[in-house]
Amino acid sequence: MHKFSKILTAIIATAACSSAAHAADLIQDFPPLYDIPSQAMDWNGFYAGVFAGYGAGRPTSDVTPINVEGALLGGTIGANAQYGSFVLGVEGDLAWSNVKGSATCVGNPTFDCSGKLDWLSSGKLRGGVALDNLLLFGTAGIAAGGITASVDPIPGGASGSFSSTVWGWTLGAGAEYAVSENVSVKAEYSYYDFATVTAPVNTLTTVGTTNIDAHAHVAKLGVNYRF
């Protein structure tokens, strides 16, 4: 019986050592775990960019409404501050415009009335939600533009043309996607509404002043670089 106890003890000890060795092998089979650093996009800082766009509208006047459309090309500067997933910022832009059109003057079919948006600018607040590399945003601010209205042929005694800077407001929305730490691409829609301006007598007509109301819908595609 005493001999049997010694044999049993030896078997148990051998099994225990074997189990421990096997457990050690299992532990060594798995590589150590490391913390994976966060790859969330940082939208903080200043940026500048360029954009191309397309604008359309229907300015109206005492003379006639005109459908206008055409291309825009411009630049943007701005700055962002990020608070968790929320991004707030300010942005300014300036664009050359070829948005224009013409129509037969209402009430006098022997004349053509033309309108053109010469340039377009805005200063606005921008706010949105960052989904890592994707930023969804909305904008609101003040806007300015240069317009030119003309009549052909030129009425006798009038200059036939009137140019002015118009002021108003703008609202918009868009999306921006960071393709790298510094470079992002964006798509944006904006609506511009401008205050009424008055063309003096003997510019577009010789029979009185002409009130002009202008607005525009603009779609933009652009590239930004963050500093």
Side-chain angles (χ1 to χ4, degrees):
M1 185 68 180
H2 181 68
K3 183 177 181 181
F4 176 77
S5 298
K6 289 183 178 181
I7 295 173
L8 182 60
T9 301
I11 293 173
I12 293 174
T14 301
C17 291
S18 176
S19 297
H22 183 64
D25 290 339
L26 289 176
I27 293 174
Q28 293 175 358
D29 288 341
F30 293 93
L33 298 177
Y34 297 97
D35 291 334
I36 299 175
S38 174
Q39 298 296 320
M41 179 64 190
D42 182 5
W43 291 93
N44 284 294
F46 294 92
Y47 62 90
V50 294
F51 65 86
Y54 182 84
R58 187 175 171 83
T60 60
S61 69
D62 299 332
V63 179
T64 191
I66 302 172
N67 292 320
V68 296
E69 58 183 340
L72 300 100
L73 184 65
T76 301
I77 58 172
N80 290 324
Q82 185 168 356
Y83 305 92
S85 297
F86 297 98
V87 177
L88 301 176
V90 292
E91 185 176 277
D93 56 48
L94 175 63
W96 163 85
S97 169
N98 194 40
V99 177
K100 60 184 180 180
S102 63
T104 301
C105 297
V106 173
N108 196 336
T110 61
F111 289 86
D112 286 331
C113 293
S114 300
K116 184 175 184 295
L117 180 64
D118 302 307
W119 57 271
L120 184 64
S121 180
S122 67
K124 53 200 175 186
L125 299 176
R126 190 169 83 146
V129 177
L131 306 174
D132 200 357
N133 283 37
L134 177 65
L135 175 63
L136 304 177
F137 62 86
T139 62
I142 60 173
I147 63 167
T148 297
S150 59
V151 178
D152 185 43
I154 300 173
S159 66
S161 180
F162 169 74
S163 296
S164 177
T165 296
V166 290
W167 294 87
W169 54 268
T170 179
L171 289 174
E176 187 170 356
Y177 185 80
V179 296
S180 70
E181 183 179 348
N182 299 104
V183 179
S184 60
V185 294
K186 73 172 183 178
E188 181 179 355
Y189 162 81
S190 297
Y191 174 76
Y192 296 82
D193 194 284
F194 299 104
T196 301
V197 292
T198 301
V201 64
N202 295 330
T203 54
L204 299 179
T205 72
T206 59
V207 296
T209 61
T210 304
N211 294 319
I212 301 172
D213 294 305
H215 64 272
H217 302 270
V218 176
K220 304 174 185 175
L221 293 176
V223 178
N224 288 335
Y225 182 86
R226 280 179 303 283
F227 301 97

